[in-house]
Amino acid sequence: MAAISYLECTKCGNHISADEPRTVCPADGGSLYARYDLKPYIGKLKPQALAGRVRSMWRYAEVLPDVEPITLGEGFTPMIQSRHNANLLIKDEGLNPTGSFKARGLSAAVTMCKFYGVKKIAIPSAGNAASALAAYAAAAGIEAHIFMPKDVPQSNFIECKLYGATVTLVDGLISDCAKMVSERKSAENWFDISSLKEPFRVEGKKTMGYEVAEQLDWKLPDAIFYPTGGGVGLIGMWKAFDEMESLGWIGRERPKMICVQAEGCAPIIKAWEEHKPVSEFYPNAHTVAAGLRVPKAYADYIILDILKKSGGTAVSVTDDEIVKAVREWASSEGIFAAPEGAATLVAYRKLIASGFLSPADKVVLFNTGSGLKYVDVFKDYFPRSS
């Protein structure tokens, strides 16, 4: 594994020591990236060296912190070839521990909290991040304090309680939960593990980018569709591509990064269409896809910059379209997707219809979680017959 050289601010570029737990840049509040000394590996560490390693995200040890991981077997999820489209691949993150891609980021973040000796962690969550934090905190023996909207999927609430977390249900959105964490964290001695407000959830999520490359024999796809709430995974994959290029594993090519949001909560789409570098708080946010109900992502400036640099775009979809896509994926592909993941199928078809993408383009759609975690959300769409 690699020693962390420093933490780098994504706004001002300041270098900050990683010798103690950090949240954001003290100068301007920018999100921090962990940076490693990759020079010893350049030209010496070949992708072929990964063969036979543990089939989890920790197989990419040289680009992850040199600490003992708190792991439940997260990562190395399957890349499933669509049965109806030879150029369409589905990266199924629903097969992670706790049933979603959140396991990656929280494994890495809790690992570092354990390393630093953090005793109490707090998180605002729309659902799946809370479940993952609760599980990894339990494995690490760290106290977890979770703030979730009161209409969070029931499975997430039950998971958190079973894992032993202290749960507060909030009459509001994830932004209201984040405000409560921010107001109380100093008095309660909580370490705030909110999306992009600490540097290591990105490190866990970036392993999705390494896996996409490895599973496609180190040739990146033409486009990646990513359901975007806080956008940690999209940001992490972009960081991974830069690291892989530095290692000589890939060239300068990059996939078009496609941000997918729900029409009822589409701050990134609005900012993208208005050519703005940051988003505005999205009013009256609502969608059946709980993970997309994020009125303003903390690191929206990074997301929008990635869309621009990659030649990508941002697409919104309706709740009805999402539910229809969940049904279609289940009945035609055998994949019971989370609503956030199913949204990518709708977005893909829209970009094919518009000509932005060609049917010949190799595309990866991210299903970020298992539909089984949303049974109470789906029940109104699929009532039992007498």
Side-chain angles (χ1 to χ4, degrees):
M1 291 184 177
I4 302 169
S5 298
Y6 54 86
L7 303 176
E8 180 180 28
C9 177
T10 54
K11 286 185 177 179
C12 66
N14 277 347
H15 291 187
I16 300 169
S17 170
D19 290 344
E20 60 183 87
R22 303 283 187 177
T23 52
V24 296
C25 176
D28 56 17
S31 297
L32 301 177
Y33 277 171
R35 297 299 190 188
Y36 310 91
D37 181 10
L38 300 180
K39 291 180 182 177
Y41 305 117
I42 296 174
K44 297 179 181 178
L45 179 65
K46 304 294 185 182
Q48 294 77 13
L50 299 174
R53 289 190 180 185
V54 60
R55 294 175 68 83
S56 82
M57 74 177 200
W58 296 97
R59 68 194 281 108
Y60 306 110
E62 289 80 1
V63 290
L64 291 170
D66 185 14
V67 299
E68 184 67 28
I70 304 298
T71 177
L72 298 171
E74 56 290 328
F76 219 70
T77 55
M79 184 87 78
I80 299 171
Q81 171 72 60
S82 169
R83 289 163 174 77
H84 305 281
N85 185 336
N87 293 313
L88 192 63
L89 296 151
I90 304 159
K91 182 70 167 157
D92 194 359
E93 291 291 294
L95 299 179
N96 273 300
T98 72
S100 86
F101 68 145
K102 298 292 186 178
R104 295 177 185 265
L106 273 306
S107 172
V110 172
T111 288
M112 294 307 296
C113 284
K114 182 73 171 180
F115 172 76
Y116 287 127
V118 171
K119 303 299 183 184
K120 300 179 182 181
I121 302 173
I123 192 173
S125 171
N128 281 325
S131 301
L133 174 63
Y136 286 95
I142 297 175
E143 201 173 289
H145 296 264
I146 290 166
F147 292 77
M148 300 189 292
K150 67 178 184 181
D151 61 351
V152 71
Q154 183 72 357
S155 63
N156 297 131
F157 174 74
I158 293 172
E159 283 178 283
C160 293
K161 296 296 287 186
L162 287 173
Y163 288 129
T166 299
V167 180
T168 300
L169 295 178
V170 178
D171 187 9
L173 302 169
I174 190 173
S175 52
D176 300 297
C177 299
K179 183 179 179 181
M180 294 181 72
V181 171
S182 180
E183 290 172 345
R184 294 177 54 185
K185 63 185 180 183
S186 295
E188 302 285 354
N189 197 30
W190 294 335
F191 183 74
D192 185 357
I193 206 162
S194 303
S195 294
L196 277 306
K197 290 186 180 179
E198 62 77 49
F200 296 106
R201 287 177 68 175
V202 166
E203 293 304 286
K205 291 283 190 69
K206 79 179 183 185
T207 60
M208 295 189 295
Y210 281 92
E211 288 177 26
V212 166
E214 183 176 0
Q215 290 171 323
L216 295 180
D217 199 24
W218 305 102
K219 180 174 174 57
L220 297 180
D222 296 301
I224 291 176
F225 283 69
Y226 192 80
T228 307
V232 183
L234 185 146
I235 292 168
M237 284 190 280
W238 195 253
K239 182 177 187 286
F241 299 150
D242 286 346
E243 290 175 353
M244 283 186 275
E245 182 181 355
S246 296
L247 289 167
W249 291 4
I250 63 171
R252 299 185 65 183
E253 73 280 359
R254 297 290 186 273
K256 293 179 171 66
M257 303 299 286
I258 314 298
C259 162
V260 183
Q261 296 193 307
E263 281 194 1
C265 186
I268 299 297
I269 282 87
K270 185 175 185 292
W272 178 253
E273 291 175 347
E274 294 175 353
H275 306 288
K276 293 181 177 178
V278 295
S279 68
E280 299 171 353
F281 187 89
Y282 204 86
N284 304 313
H286 63 280
T287 172
V288 69
L292 299 183
R293 203 159 57 229
V294 180
K296 181 173 170 62
Y298 188 78
D300 51 5
Y301 63 99
I302 306 178
I303 298 168
L304 289 159
D305 185 55
I306 290 170
L307 298 187
K308 183 178 180 180
K309 286 179 177 177
S310 71
T313 190
V315 184
S316 64
V317 303
T318 69
D319 278 2
D320 283 345
E321 288 173 326
I322 288 173
V323 174
K324 288 177 182 176
V326 170
R327 183 199 291 267
E328 181 179 339
W329 249 353
S331 62
S332 68
E333 301 281 6
I335 297 172
F336 187 8
E340 297 85 357
T344 64
L345 176 61
V346 182
Y348 169 71
R349 287 177 173 164
K350 288 185 176 185
L351 292 190
I352 293 293
S354 72
F356 184 86
L357 291 175
S358 161
D361 288 328
K362 181 75 74 174
V363 172
V364 173
L365 308 183
F366 266 84
N367 172 39
T368 48
S370 169
L372 290 171
K373 304 195 75 173
Y374 295 80
V375 170
D376 60 316
V377 177
F378 292 133
K379 71 180 188 305
D380 293 336
Y381 291 89
F382 305 97
R384 294 190 184 192
S385 57
S386 57

